[in-house]
Every structure is written in C-alpha cells, then in structure tokens.
Amino acid sequence: MKNIIKLSIAALVMTTSTLAFAGDAKEVNRTEAVSLQKIGNVSAGGFANLDELNASLAMKASEAGASHYRIVGASGMNRLSGTAVLYR
C-alpha cells in the first residue's frame, strides 16, 4: 500500500512539473516580435487589474500553442479587457 501511494505521488509531481514548464508563453515587445511568426490572436476580459489580465492572456497563449505573445491593447475602468498577438 505504501508503494502505491509513493508511486502515485511521484507520478503526480512529475505530471505537474511537466505541465508547468510545457508551453509557457513568454511576453515579448514589438522589437522582439519582428523575428517571430504570427499565429493568431487571443482576448480576455473581466479582470480587476493588469496582472490578472496579463496572466489570463499568457495562459490562453500557451493553450493555443504559442511560444510568445505581445499584448496589443488593454482597456476598461472597473473591469479590464485586452488582446494579444500570438507568435511561434
């Protein structure tokens, strides 16, 4: 029984660490984006601050298979929304 628990925990740790590093999109500026291939756009909305908006756009970029993203717009007063261009 102890071995099953140890193996389960080891598998969970390996899966979690692999997911954490696989597909983390990096934010780039306009100059850095010039050398990358544009693959699409994502948008997100309803956030209280820029950090939450940025985190959401980064997550969507990673889910879309992008290695990089550039935020091209953010707006709102009480709730922020924004758009990012995705790159590979």
Side-chain angles (χ1 to χ4, degrees), residues 34-62:
V34 170
S35 63
L36 301 171
Q37 177 187 4
K38 180 179 174 181
I39 61 169
N41 298 304
V42 291
S43 61
F47 297 96
N49 59 55
L50 288 173
D51 288 335
E52 291 175 2
L53 175 60
N54 190 358
S56 178
L57 291 170
M59 183 177 67
K60 287 186 174 193
S62 292

